[in-house]
Each structure stands twice: as structure tokens, then as C-alpha cells.
Amino acid sequence: MRSPIGEPPLVLSRHAVRVGYVDTDKAGVVHHSTYLSYLEAARIAHQRARGLSYHDFEVETGLALPVVEAHLRYRSPARFDDELIVESWVEEVTRAKVVYAQRVMREDEVLVEGKVVLACVDMQKGQIVSIPPRIAATCRKP
Amino acid sequence: MRSPIGEPPLVLSRHAVRVGYVDTDKAGVVHHSTYLSYLEAARIAHQRARGLSYHDFEVETGLALPVVEAHLRYRSPARFDDELIVESWVEEVTRAKVVYAQRVMREDEVLVEGKVVLACVDMQKGQIVSIPPRIAATCRKP
Amino acid sequence: MRSPIGEPPLVLSRHAVRVGYVDTDKAGVVHHSTYLSYLEAARIAHQRARGLSYHDFEVETGLALPVVEAHLRYRSPARFDDELIVESWVEEVTRAKVVYAQRVMREDEVLVEGKVVLACVDMQKGQIVSIPPRIAATCRKP
Amino acid sequence: MRSPIGEPPLVLSRHAVRVGYVDTDKAGVVHHSTYLSYLEAARIAHQRARGLSYHDFEVETGLALPVVEAHLRYRSPARFDDELIVESWVEEVTRAKVVYAQRVMREDEVLVEGKVVLACVDMQKGQIVSIPPRIAATCRKP
């Protein structure tokens, strides 16, 4: 069970999440599907911190960046009311894809590691298209 | 703590739900927000059983029936893997609204009672409009 | 369609929520079930601001405060990336119940109003019990 | 973007899911986190069809089978009201882990492919333990 991601860079984005009651399941821990929502919120915050409003991007361009791959490794469970930090960085930007590496942390402990691949899609045509240069540049910012 | 709904009629719609692991919370029971999804699925099944595809209704008319009021009374908790039945009936149809009464049952036990009010809305204009006669007739069918 | 709650008091709790992509549905607005999670998080923050950790309360007492009634009125939809404020205040504390009034605001606009009734329950026995005086006092704090 | 799973065997489990309104997001498609819940329900149905109640397993043994890895490839979106079939089969059973391969189908089209690794955990101790032989045998059944 290797990590799906490499070591984080020195500069990365940190997004805080407080675990809600609704996020837990009968095992008393955060349900494994919930982390995908935490990672999504952290990516949107990552982009916002670099000057890109994902909301405006969708409205203005008619494009979207849906998730086309997700690789998650669950190492230790988060619990109700935990204060988590989601660390995010961009591993790679290709012509039509952005590869995010993300880690859900509780203090110094890595709870979940994820690699999430987004593809740039024309919402009307449903086709993968090139990422606009301005967006690609934003994603590449450390 | 009175019931938000009256007695069910003789003819009503019955929709089966199996409680998922993800539906539960750390108290070991179904989270209170999850029942709104169960009720929604049961209303769509209620309409389908009367010949109305809610999916096609939205696409063909540009209208929607969003929830404008919900009154829920939680009497007893549902648990993982329970086989539930959601009973649904229409209490009232007015010019622009449909009032659903719904009960989540586990065998003979009433777990949750709900009254849910839908309003007919023009999706483009964001305005409440009259319910088309065909839809109103469908909702009125016992 | 009257409001389920009265006017807010001068002193109340304000909890910020940023609408996530996952919170929306195909109508392009926040799904009606999602607001119950926003209200839950706001109540927990309301208690925390008054010195009560709901997490510790459950662990230390074996009691819980599940939702036994919810009355929601949806006035206007929230959308992706909206910055919302959930205002919460306690309308009433009885022997075994706490009645919360809550409003989801976007700037000066009331989007959703809710009245949520919690009952104090012994988790082992599954029975409603008296609210411990310390908890009742905390809930009563303005 | 290779498939995380191999070709399905001749004998596999098929679990039907009807896409709910709540499952969609503002892009008009099923949110990527929702598929983890579909896959979970399908695995529980897969076990039930082989004589194993996952509910009873947790209660009787004090063990659980949480997800420790998930690899998802999203090929095409599911939409509201779609009737999907989740195909599931077990790729491998080791001392403490079960590896599921799963595909979400709409008729003949593969929408999502997933590999999900479960580990057998002692709920009290929070430690990975050997899978009881009866459970391992059930998981291995074609």
C-alpha cells in the first residue's frame, strides 16, 4: 500500500476543515466518501488563493474541471469535531489535465492521501479541451 | 409534538429504501438530513407510478417543483441495513403548490413523518407559476 | 407560508458557511437537504461559543441531543461558492428539549428559516431524559 | 489513464441503483463522491447474495471492513433518474484484505471503474487483524 503521492513541496496550500456530525458514520469515524468533498473544497480554495475563482471560471468560459480519476489511501480515521488541514499542491499540468496531490492532516499526522486528476471539459459539447493558458498558469503557481 | 400529517388514505404509494452505511452517523442511526433524500426519492417514485416522469417534466417544460417547506417529526431512529417503506400521498394541490404527506415505516412502526410542500417554478425566471393541468391531475391521482 | 420562527434577538450566534460544489444539485442551487447540515454545524458552533463542546458532552455524559423535529421554510436558493451566515438562537429550553431558531442569510437576505427541536436522550437506553442543568444553562445563554 | 481493474469474470454480482436528484451537482451530473456510496451499497449486496450479512458481521465479531484504498476512474457521467447497474467482483483476498473490482454501468456503457481495498479491523483496538476464515470464504465465492 504505497502512497499515491510524493513528498509535498515547501510551498503548498492549507485549507482548514472542521469535521461535522453528518460527516461521520456508525463506525464513529468520517465516512470514506466524505473526504472527496473535503479535497474538492481544498482545491477550490487553492485556486482562489492564486486568484482564480472556480465559480467565475465555469460561468465565463463554459468550461469545467471535473474529476476524471481519484486515488485515495486512507491511513487513519478522522473523527467528529476534529480540526483538519487539507494540504494541496499541483503535481502536473498537461494540455488538458491538472493533477492534484492532497493530504488530509490532523496536526502532524497524515490521515488520508489523495491524487485527483481533473480534465478540462467543454460543458456544452461534453468534450475534453485544452486548458486555457491563464488557468494553466494559475494551477502551476506554487 | 403533534404529527405534521393526518391519517394516510386507503390508497397510497409505497417506496422501498434499504439504509446504507453512508446514511448513518456516529450515533449509529440514520442522520436526520438523510430522510429528506428518502422522501424525495419516494415522491419521484410516486409521480412515476402515476405516469409522470419528473425528469422529463423538467426537460420538457423548463419548470421544476422545488421544496419550499418541510416539516419533519422524528419518532424513532432507522438503522443500517433496515428495510424501510416510505408511504406518500398528496394532501392538497393548489394553483402553484403540491403538499405531500409522507411516512417512513419499518414494518408497522412509523419512524419519521413529514409534510413537504413543493412549488412550481419557472427555472429561467426563478418565479413561481401555475402548475400545468396535466401535472396537477397526475399529483391528484390517488 | 408563515415563518416557522419569530424575530431574532439582538444577541445571536453567527456561523459562516461557504457553499461547496457537492452541496448543489442539477437545478444549480443548494439541495434542500444540505441546509440541515449547515444548521447542525451552526448549532454546534453556537454551543462551542458558549463553552459547551458537544463532542465532549456526548463522551462524558452518555447523552445526546438528536433532532426530533425540524421545520424548514425555503425562501430563496443559495448557490455554489456563496458565503452564507447561519444565525442561531435558542427559543426555548424545557425539561428535556431545546428549541433552536435558525436563519440562513446571504448578506441581508433570508434564504432559509428553520426551527429545530432537540431532545435529550440517554444513548444506551434510547430514552428521553432531563437535560443536565449545566447544559440547559449553556443553551439559555444569549 | 488506464483502467484500475481487469476484465470482469463470467460470474459477478449486479446491483441496481436509480440516480436520485440529491446525487447530482450543478454540472447536471452525478457528483464524483456519490459513486463511492453506490460502490459501498453494491459490495454489501454482493456479500448478502453470498450469505454474509455485513450488518451481522460487525455486531457478532466486533470487526469491520473499512475502505483503506480507493482508485476510481470516471469515464462518462451518470445523470438524474438513470438506472445504473454496479458490477462487483473480488479480485483478491489476502490475510487481512479484500480487493474489490467494481464497474458502474448504464446499459453496455462503463461509466466508472473502481478498485476498492478493504482491511479487516478490530473496532475496539483499531488494529488490522486476520479475516475470519468464514468471511474470507464468502468473499472468494464467485
Side-chain angles (χ1 to χ4, degrees), chain B residues 6 11 21 29-30 39 53 67 75 78 84-85 90 96 127 137-138 141:
Chain B
V11 181
Y21 207 94
V29 300
V30 172
L39 299 184
S53 158
V67 172
R75 295 169 53 156
L84 308 176
I85 297 290
V90 170
Q127 286 174 355
T138 301
K141 276 187 201 166

Side-chain angles (χ1 to χ4, degrees), chain C residues 38-114:
Chain C
Y38 293 172
L39 299 184
E40 176 179 82
R43 292 193 303 274
I44 291 167
H46 175 272
Q47 294 160 359
R48 187 184 300 119
R50 279 147 192 77
L52 174 66
S53 158
Y54 182 70
H55 175 275
D56 294 350
F57 165 68
E58 279 199 359
V59 172
E60 292 166 10
T61 65
L63 306 176
L65 292 171
V67 173
V68 293
E69 278 183 76
H71 303 275
L72 297 164
R73 182 190 172 199
Y74 302 92
R75 292 169 55 154
S76 201
R79 294 176 189 278
F80 169 55
D81 223 31
D82 278 354
E83 295 187 81
L84 307 176
I85 297 291
V86 184
E87 298 181 344
S88 304
W89 64 98
V90 170
E91 278 206 341
E92 195 186 357
V93 182
T94 66
R95 189 186 62 80
K97 287 184 186 162
V98 185
V99 181
Y100 269 94
Q102 301 186 273
R103 308 198 308 181
V104 180
M105 311 290 293
R106 186 177 47 211
E107 297 182 348
D108 289 342
E109 191 183 10
V110 181
L111 304 185
V112 176
E113 294 170 298

Side-chain angles (χ1 to χ4, degrees), chain A residues 26 31 40 58 68 70 72, chain D residues 26 31 40 58 70 72 74:
Chain A
K26 75 184 278 285
H31 189 264
E40 176 180 80
E58 280 200 358
V68 293
L72 297 162
Chain D
K26 75 183 278 286
H31 190 264
E40 175 180 83
E58 280 199 358
L72 296 163
Y74 302 91

Side-chain angles (χ1 to χ4, degrees), chain A residues 20-81:
Chain A
Y21 207 94
V22 68
D23 298 344
T24 60
D25 64 24
K26 75 184 278 285
V29 299
V30 171
H31 189 264
H32 65 279
S33 67
T34 304
Y35 294 100
L36 282 176
S37 302
Y38 294 171
L39 299 185
E40 176 180 80
R43 290 192 304 273
I44 292 167
H46 175 273
Q47 294 161 357
R48 185 184 301 118
R50 278 147 193 78
L52 174 67
S53 158
Y54 183 70
H55 175 276
D56 295 350
F57 164 68
E58 280 200 358
V59 172
E60 292 166 10
T61 64
L63 306 176
L65 292 170
V67 172
V68 293
E69 281 183 74
H71 303 275
L72 297 162
R73 182 188 172 198
Y74 302 93
R75 293 170 52 157
S76 199
R79 294 175 189 279
F80 170 54
D81 224 29

Side-chain angles (χ1 to χ4, degrees), chain B residues 77-89:
Chain B
R79 292 173 191 281
F80 169 56
D81 223 32
D82 278 354
E83 294 186 83
L84 308 176
I85 297 290
V86 183
E87 297 180 344
S88 304
W89 64 100

Side-chain angles (χ1 to χ4, degrees), chain D residues 57-112:
Chain D
F57 165 69
E58 280 199 358
V59 172
E60 292 167 9
T61 64
L63 306 177
L65 293 170
V67 172
V68 292
E69 280 182 76
H71 303 275
L72 296 163
R73 183 190 172 198
Y74 302 91
R75 293 169 53 156
S76 200
R79 293 174 190 278
F80 169 55
D81 223 31
D82 277 353
E83 295 187 82
L84 307 176
I85 297 291
V86 183
E87 298 180 344
S88 305
W89 64 99
V90 170
E91 278 207 342
E92 194 185 359
V93 182
T94 65
R95 190 186 62 80
K97 288 186 185 159
V98 184
V99 181
Y100 269 94
Q102 301 187 274
R103 308 199 307 181
V104 180
M105 311 289 294
R106 184 176 51 210
E107 298 183 345
D108 287 342
E109 191 183 10
V110 181
L111 304 184
V112 176

